[in-house]
C-alpha cells in the first residue's frame, strides 16, 4: 500500500509529571515509542498487555490526555499534522472515539439525548432508534440515565454515539467487554461494514480471537513500545508470528490452550535498550541487551534482533 | 458457611419491570459458582443484592442463617465490580485506596502483580487492568469469606487474565472462600466453576 494513511502515529511518547514531595516534580514515562499507520477500508487491531499504552494512544490521538501528561512524536491525519486546534475541530465529527471507560457517558443526560448529541429533530430521532435497535437495545432505554443501564448496555450506548457521527475514523477502545458473544459479534460486523465503506477503524482490544477474525492487521504493544505488526492471517500459525510476546499471547488464546506464560511480567516499563524477553527467549544473545530496532520482517514489523537477522 | 438469597424480587423503578423476580441462590464455602446470561438480565443487580449494596424489595439474604445486614463492621461478603474506574476515589492515591477496608497482606499485592511504583499514583494515571488489580486486592481482606466477582477480568489481556485467575483460584482453595463468578466468557466459567447458573432475559 503506497497511498497515504488516513491516520499515522510516529514515535509517540507520553510521560506524566507528578509532584513527589512538596513542589518537587518528577517525570514518569509511560509510552516510549509507539507507531501505527491506519489506512482507509481497513481495521487495525491493537493488542497488548493492559498498561502497555493502548488507551493512552487513543487519548493522544483525540487530544484528551490528562492535564499533567506530556506528549512527544507526530500524529498525521490525511497527511497533515494533527495539531491540537485541528483535532478540536475534527473530533466527534471526522474522528470519533468509543471510550473504554463507561464513565464517559454524561451521568445527568438521558441516553437517547446523548446518542443524538443533543439534536432533537425527526431524522436524528429516527436514526437513533435505528442504531440502538441495530445493537439490540429497546426504545425504552432512550429514557434511562446511564446509572440505570447494565454494563453491556452502557457499552452499546457508547458505541452508538460514535456510530451516529458517521466519522471517517473510529477509534474503538475496548468496545466488547461486558457484551455477550452475539452482541460482540454484531459490533464487529458493524465495524467491518463501516470499513468496507471506506472508513478506518482502530480497534483496541484484549479479545484477540475476535480481533483476528475481523481485523486486517494486528499491532502488538508491550510496555509502551510497538513490538510487532502482523497480518491477521499470521495468527493461524504460531510459527508465522515474530515476537516472543506475541507467541505467548497466541498460546494464551482460549482455543490454543489458555496457557499463562511463565516469566512474562506484563507490567515492565520496557526501554528502548534491552529486550524484556531475554529470559524466556531460546535465541537470546549478547546483542539483546543493546538497542532493539523496530524493523521489517515477512510483510510485518518486529522489534527483535534475531528475527531481523533471519530476514536478511 | 453458607450464603443464601431467597425469593429475591427487585426493580429499579416503581412501575418498571422486575429485574429480579423471585430468584433464589445459595453458595457454600469452597464453591465457585458461575453466573451467566445476556447483558441486562440482572447479573450485576444480583451481585449487589448478595453483597448487601442494595436491599431487595422482597426476599432476604442470609449468611449462616443470619440476615446479612445484621453483620456489623467488615462485611464478610465482598464484591469486585465490573468497572474499576467507577469504584475508586479519584482524589485518593492508590495506597490509600488499597487500604480503605483495612490492611491487605503483602503476598496478595505481590501475587496480583501490583508494582510498588503505582502506589503513589492517582487512579487517572493507571490503566483499567492496573486499577482492577487494586480492587481485587482491596476485596481480599482477612475477614472476607465470600467473594462476588462481577466480570472482573474483562479489562485484562489474555496473559494477565490467566495469571490473575490462577492466583485467585489458589487463594480461594487455601482460604476456603465461597465465590460467585459472573462472566461472558465460557472459557473462564468452564475452567473455574464447580457449578453453573444461567439467568435468562428478564
Amino acid at each position: 500500500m503506497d497511498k497515504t494513511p488516513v491516520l499515522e502515529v510516529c514515535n509517540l511518547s507520553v510521560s506524566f509529571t507528578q509532584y513527589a514531595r512538596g513542589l518537587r516534580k518528577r517525570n514518569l514515562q509511560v509510552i516510549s515509542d509507539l507507531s501505527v499507520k491506519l489506512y482507509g477500508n481497513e481495521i487495525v487491531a491493537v493488542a497488548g498487555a493492559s498498561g502497555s499504552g493502548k488507551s493512552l494512544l487513543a487519548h493522544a490521538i483525540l487530544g484528551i490526555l490528562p492535564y499533567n501528561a506530556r506528549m512527544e512524536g507526530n500524529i498525521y491525519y490525511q497527511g497533515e499534522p494533527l495539531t491540537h486546534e485541528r483535532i478540536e475541530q475534527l473530533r466527534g465529527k471526522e474522528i470519533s472515539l468509543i471510550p473504554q471507560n463507561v464513565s464517559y457517558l454524561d451521568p445527568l443526560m438521558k441516553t437517547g439525548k446523548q446518542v443524538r448529541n443533543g439534536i432533537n429533530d425527526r431524522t436524528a430521532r429516527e436514526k437513533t432508534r435505528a442504531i440502538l435497535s441495530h445493537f439490540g437495545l429497546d426504545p425504552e432505554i432512550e429514557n434511562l440515565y446511564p446509572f440505570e443501564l447494565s454494563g453491556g448496555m452502557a457499552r452499546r450506548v457508547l458505541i452508538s454515539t460514535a456510530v451516529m457521527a458517521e466519522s471517517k475514523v473510529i477509534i474503538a477502545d475496548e468496545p466488547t467487554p461486558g457484551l455477550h458473544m452475539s452482541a460482540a459479534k454484531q459490533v464487529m460486523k458493524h465495524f467491518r461494514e463501516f470499513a468496507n465503506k471506506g472508513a478506518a477503524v482502530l480497534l483496541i482490544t484484549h479479545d484477540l480471537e475476535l480481533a483476528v477474525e475481523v481485523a486486517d492487521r494486528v499491532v502488538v504493544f508491550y510496555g509502551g513500545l510497538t513490538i510487532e505488526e502482523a497480518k491477521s492471517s499470521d495468527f493461524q500459525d504460531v510459527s508465522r508470528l515474530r515476537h516472543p510476546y506475541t507467541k505467548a499471547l497466541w498460546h494464551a488464546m482460549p482455543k490454543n490452550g489458555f496457557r499463562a506464560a511463565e516469566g512474562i511480567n506484563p507490567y515492565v516499563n520496557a526501554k528502548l535498550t534491552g529486550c524484556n524477553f531475554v529470559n524466556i527467549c531460546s535465541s537470546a544473545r549478547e546483542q539483546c541487551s543493546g538497542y532493539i530496532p523496530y524493523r521489517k520482517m515477512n510483510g510485518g514489523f518486529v522489534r527483535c534482533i534475531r528475527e531481523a537477522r533471519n530476514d536478511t | 458457611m453458607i450464603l443464601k438469597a431467597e425469593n429475591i424480587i427487585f426493580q429499579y423503578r416503581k412501575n418498571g419491570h422486575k429485574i429480579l423476580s423471585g430468584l433464589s441462590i445459595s453458595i457454600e464455602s469452597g464453591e465457585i459458582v458461575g453466573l451467566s446470561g445476556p447483558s441486562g438480565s440482572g447479573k450485576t443487580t444480583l451481585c449487589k443484592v448478595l453483597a448487601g449494596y442494595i436491599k431487595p424489595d422482597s426476599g432476604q439474604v442470609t449468611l449462616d442463617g443470619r440476615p446479612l445486614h445484621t453483620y456489623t463492621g467488615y462485611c464478610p461478603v465482598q464484591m469486585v465490580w465490573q468497572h474499576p474506574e467507577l469504584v475508586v476515589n479519584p482524589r485518593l492515591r492508590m495506597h490509600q485506596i488499597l487500604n480503605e477496608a483495612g490492611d491487605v497482606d503483602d503476598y496478595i499485592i505481590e501475587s496480583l502483580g501490583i508494582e510498588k511504583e503505582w502506589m503513589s499514583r492517582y487512579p487517572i494515571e493507571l490503566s483499567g487492568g492496573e486499577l482492577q488489580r487494586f480492587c481485587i486486592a482491596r476485596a481480599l481482606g482477612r475477614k472476607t469469606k465470600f467473594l462476588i466477582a462481577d466480570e472482573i477480568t474483562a479489562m485484562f489481556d489474555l496473559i494477565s487474565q490467566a495469571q490473575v485467575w490462577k492466583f485467585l483460584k489458589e487463594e480461594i482453595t487455601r482460604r476456603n472462600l465461597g465465590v460467585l463468578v459472573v462472566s461472558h466468557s465460557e472459557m473462564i466459567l468452564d475452567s473455574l466453576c464447580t457449578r453453573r447458573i444461567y439467568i435468562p432475559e428478564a
Side-chain angles (χ1 to χ4, degrees), chain A residues 28 68 101 148 156 206, chain B residues 13 39 85 117 125 155 184:
Chain A
L28 185 72
N68 61 342
N101 195 327
E148 297 174 298
R156 283 179 279 173
H206 293 312
Chain B
R13 297 199 153 188
S39 87
E85 62 278 358
E117 188 213 338
E125 293 161 349
M155 67 299 295
H184 284 292

Side-chain angles (χ1 to χ4, degrees), chain A residues 133-188:
Chain A
S133 74
H134 182 75
F135 292 120
L137 295 172
D138 296 333
E140 293 94 75
I141 77 122
E142 283 185 46
N143 281 319
L144 299 179
Y145 288 98
F147 81 95
E148 297 174 298
L149 301 173
S150 81
M153 288 174 177
R155 190 72 67 195
R156 283 179 279 173
V157 169
L158 282 173
I159 297 168
S160 306
T161 51
V163 166
M164 189 78 180
E166 293 182 343
S167 324
K168 292 190 177 117
V169 179
I170 284 195
I171 295 170
D173 190 1
E174 298 284 359
T176 54
L179 295 184
H180 47 274
M181 204 44 178
S182 61
K185 286 246 160 91
Q186 182 66 30
V187 171
M188 291 300 147

Side-chain angles (χ1 to χ4, degrees), chain B residues 98-114:
Chain B
L98 187 65
N99 294 318
E100 270 176 325
D103 285 342
V104 176
D105 289 334
D106 282 343
Y107 76 91
I108 294 179
I109 297 173
E110 202 173 296
S111 311
L112 282 169
I114 294 172

Side-chain angles (χ1 to χ4, degrees), chain A residues 20-94:
Chain A
R21 185 166 290 164
L23 291 173
R24 212 176 313 138
K25 283 189 195 178
R26 66 176 176 174
N27 252 345
L28 185 72
Q29 181 98 7
V30 280
I31 292 187
S32 330
D33 185 0
L34 293 185
S35 306
V36 179
K37 279 181 189 166
L38 191 60
Y39 294 90
N41 293 73
E42 192 184 43
I43 301 180
V44 174
V46 172
S50 74
S52 62
K54 303 191 297 297
S55 296
L56 284 173
L57 167 72
H59 290 193
I61 295 171
L62 271 289
I64 51 168
L65 288 170
Y67 69 96
N68 61 342
R70 227 177 90 95
M71 185 185 115
E72 275 167 70
N74 299 308
I75 302 176
Y76 300 95
Y77 176 66
Q78 292 180 328
E80 302 272 330
L82 191 60
T83 56
H84 203 79
E85 292 75 31
R86 200 156 163 244
I87 185 64
E88 279 183 3
Q89 294 292 317
L90 294 175
R91 68 187 172 207
K93 299 183 187 89
E94 286 190 28

Side-chain angles (χ1 to χ4, degrees), chain A residues 18 26 28 48-51 68 101-103 148 150 155-156 177-180 206 254 258 260-261 264-267, chain B residues 13 38-40 82-83 85-86 115 117-118 120-121 125 127 129-130 133 154-157 160 162-163 184 187:
Chain A
Q18 283 184 326
R26 66 176 176 174
L28 185 72
S50 74
N68 61 342
N101 195 327
V102 292
S103 66
E148 297 174 298
S150 81
R155 190 72 67 195
R156 283 179 279 173
L179 295 184
H180 47 274
H206 293 312
F258 193 31
I264 288 197
N265 179 359
Y267 287 111
Chain B
R13 297 199 153 188
S39 87
Q82 185 178 6
H83 302 293
E85 62 278 358
L86 300 181
E115 306 269 332
E117 188 213 338
W118 302 345
S120 58
R121 299 200 201 173
E125 293 161 349
S127 80
E130 289 165 348
R133 289 167 193 257
M155 67 299 295
F156 288 119
D157 62 277
S160 315
Q163 286 170 344
H184 284 292
M187 176 233 346

